[in-house]
Amino acid sequence: MIELFELRFPSDGSVLAVEGLEVRSGERLVVFGPNGAGKSTLLRLLAGTLPGGPALDSTYLPQRPYLFRGSAGFNMGLGLSAEEASRARHLADRLGIGEVLEYEASSLSGGEAQRVAIARAMARQQPWVLLDEPLSAQDEQDRMRIAAVIIEELGDRGAVIITHDREEAAVLGDRLAVLVNGRLLQEGSVDEVFSLPASDLVATAVGIGNVIDGEVVAGEGPLTSLLAGGMNIWGLGDVQPGHPGRALFGAESVTLFRGREGAAGSARNRWVGTVTELRQLGRLVEVVIDAGNRVVALVTPGSQEVLQLGPGANVTLTVKATAVRVNPR
Amino acid sequence: MDFLFEVVGDALNSLSGFGVELRRVIGLTLVVSVLATAFGVVIGVPLGAWIALGRTKARTAWLVAVNIGMGMPPVLAGLALLLLLWDTGPLGQLELLFSPTAMVAAQTLLAIPIAAGVTAGAVKGLPSAASEQLAALSLPGWQKGRVALVEVWPGVLAAVAAAFGRVVSEVGAVLVVGGNIVGETRVLTTAIVQETRRANFGEALALGIVLILLAGAVNGFLTWMQLRNARHD
């Protein structure tokens, strides 16, 4: 089942104006965007807790799950049939909250309370599942385990999941929609959007991206070459030579090699630079390189060790031209 | 000043001679007020929750009606009921005028909007996360109301206290439909009016002291319940 929606809130669309949001059975659509972009408004319209939306036949986890007076177990059973309640108890065990169900809800931690709400929401078998920041209150070490339970429980249902976390988006999503200022700016597979943002607004919204301004010097089929600070950057684009351009590419599109020689390969873009900074970013390491321009790359801690990346290290960077977008500026 | 000392002295004298009639008046006051509060709460609290748990034109209309009702002069409620219950009025054949039943009915009319208004205020004051969570749950309306009321339990107790305070201290409605008949429909407030008009100030003040103690005891109990039920987080 595929459903297409036009969503507006309020009716003049000042908070949210999305034309053609497509949700499909069996697919997890992640809506990604900065705070205040209208993500929760979009989900509330889909859930029907805000007027004027399609009110899907859905089970819905609000952004800040609220537990009412009573035990955690009482809260988990609210609105569930006997069969759903038994499924919820089973889920609670898998989510690691089986033991806290008898406790007073107000004594639970934020993460436990959210898991109670997840168990309750996932136990219902509605054809659509709407989850607003389902992992926001979870500790780093629990997040991926809970994400796995959620994905398994979704089965072949359709889901719309909201997050502003890249890693969560990558784990939870099949498809990604980027929402900024109430407008849908890009939609595509998670990899595609992260590695090839359609605009600098998207690039900023999806986080660690590389945005480099320069002048377009050549065109060759679908490719365009941009010159910026001594770097020659090839990417997909349609800007006439002689015009100012902007190159956009995701930090995970950058491959790093130790030294100034680098490795042979098909990558059109090959630059040399010096590492200036390393930052821990969740489970990955963000490497900042001066290659004539500031370029950010994402590597695993393992690669960082193997490549002996530290400030001052010389590296060769490669990026496939198809992972770069060159836009007019 | 001598006059005031004299009145207070008289009042204390009256209180020490706690007569049969005074006991009857206190008893009727309690029965009428408690029954009217109970009926008012049973109708008004769910009404208030219903008003607060959604945004429809009907609910808004009821909210306006409740707000008007909260400020309605009791004597007007009494007059309206008097006209209904009058011998030749629409409900005249019930022969309820000047009976405790009519007094309970009049005060219930006064208690409903108070209970509903205070409850609606409490439920509307739920954190937005709680309202959103309630809306997200697949519960029938009455169960949502129940969960919401349990959540704002101290607010519901405040509604009970406000309703009781309104009816126990009210004189206009009970006077009009009850008639202040000795031994039948006389309650503390109407007795105070009566004694004041006869210039029996000591007696009136004594009744006033009893009324305050009564109201204080009931509201003290409700306050204790409120504090006991307050969330510790």
Side-chain angles (χ1 to χ4, degrees), chain B residues 82-185:
Chain B
L82 179 92
L83 296 178
L84 288 177
L85 296 178
W86 195 256
D87 279 353
T88 50
L91 301 175
Q93 68 271 36
L94 296 177
E95 293 183 3
L96 288 175
L97 204 54
F98 307 125
S99 70
T101 309
M103 294 159 72
V104 171
Q107 295 206 323
T108 300
L109 285 181
L110 296 172
I112 289 170
I114 297 275
V118 175
T119 302
V123 173
K124 276 199 184 291
L126 273 173
S128 60
S131 312
E132 179 70 4
Q133 182 66 74
L134 262 187
L137 294 172
S138 57
L139 287 175
W142 67 272
Q143 274 193 34
K144 281 186 190 174
R146 200 188 57 181
V147 172
L149 288 175
V150 171
E151 195 61 19
V152 297
W153 189 237
V156 175
L157 287 173
V160 176
F164 181 78
R166 166 97 154 163
V167 300
V168 78
S169 62
E170 179 284 318
V171 60
V174 280
L175 191 58
V176 171
V177 300
N180 192 31
I181 302 165
V182 180
E184 283 185 40
T185 60

Side-chain angles (χ1 to χ4, degrees), chain A residues 51-131:
Chain A
L56 292 173
D57 180 11
S58 59
T59 176
Y60 160 51
L61 175 79
Q63 187 176 14
R64 289 172 295 150
Y66 187 94
L67 299 189
F68 297 94
R69 275 170 198 272
S71 69
F74 160 77
N75 273 279
M76 194 177 74
L78 271 178
L80 300 186
S81 69
E83 189 197 338
E84 290 166 341
S86 102
R87 200 177 298 126
R89 278 192 297 277
H90 179 66
L91 266 169
D93 289 332
R94 293 181 59 200
L95 292 168
I97 46 163
E99 269 95 69
V100 304
L101 291 181
E102 64 199 74
Y103 296 165
E104 186 62 30
S106 57
S107 70
L108 266 58
S109 71
E112 288 168 336
Q114 190 175 41
R115 275 181 267 171
V116 168
I118 290 173
R120 178 176 58 202
M122 301 303 298
R124 298 184 61 215
Q125 294 296 297
Q126 264 56 27
W128 300 101
V129 180
L130 310 173
L131 307 172

Side-chain angles (χ1 to χ4, degrees), chain A residues 2 21 28 41 54 67 83 93 148 162 187 189 196 207 216 219 236 259:
Chain A
I2 298 179
L21 180 82
R28 304 186 302 270
T41 302
L67 299 189
E83 189 197 338
D93 289 332
I162 283 177
E187 210 182 328
S189 75
L196 201 58
V216 174
L236 297 166

Side-chain angles (χ1 to χ4, degrees), chain A residues 245-290:
Chain A
R246 171 171 291 170
L248 305 165
F249 53 98
E252 57 274 88
S253 301
V254 181
T255 311
L256 292 182
F257 301 94
R258 186 65 207 244
R260 294 192 162 265
E261 307 307 318
S266 66
R268 190 83 184 246
N269 293 303
R270 182 184 302 267
W271 312 299
V272 289
T274 311
V275 174
T276 58
E277 200 183 341
L278 292 148
R279 278 193 298 237
Q280 198 68 34
L281 196 92
R283 321 178 149 200
L284 298 173
V285 179
E286 191 186 8
V287 186
V288 183
I289 302 139
D290 180 8

Side-chain angles (χ1 to χ4, degrees), chain A residues 5-91:
Chain A
F5 298 114
E6 185 183 332
L7 301 168
R8 277 176 188 280
F9 191 82
S11 47
D12 68 355
S14 54
V15 172
L16 184 78
V18 168
E19 285 151 34
L21 180 82
E22 199 178 302
V23 293
R24 304 173 194 165
S25 299
E27 185 183 71
R28 304 186 302 270
L29 172 69
V30 164
V31 177
F32 191 90
N35 287 329
K39 304 189 294 294
S40 291
T41 302
L42 181 147
L43 206 66
R44 293 179 65 194
L45 283 171
L46 292 178
T49 64
L50 271 185
L56 292 173
D57 180 11
S58 59
T59 176
Y60 160 51
L61 175 79
Q63 187 176 14
R64 289 172 295 150
Y66 187 94
L67 299 189
F68 297 94
R69 275 170 198 272
S71 69
F74 160 77
N75 273 279
M76 194 177 74
L78 271 178
L80 300 186
S81 69
E83 189 197 338
E84 290 166 341
S86 102
R87 200 177 298 126
R89 278 192 297 277
H90 179 66
L91 266 169

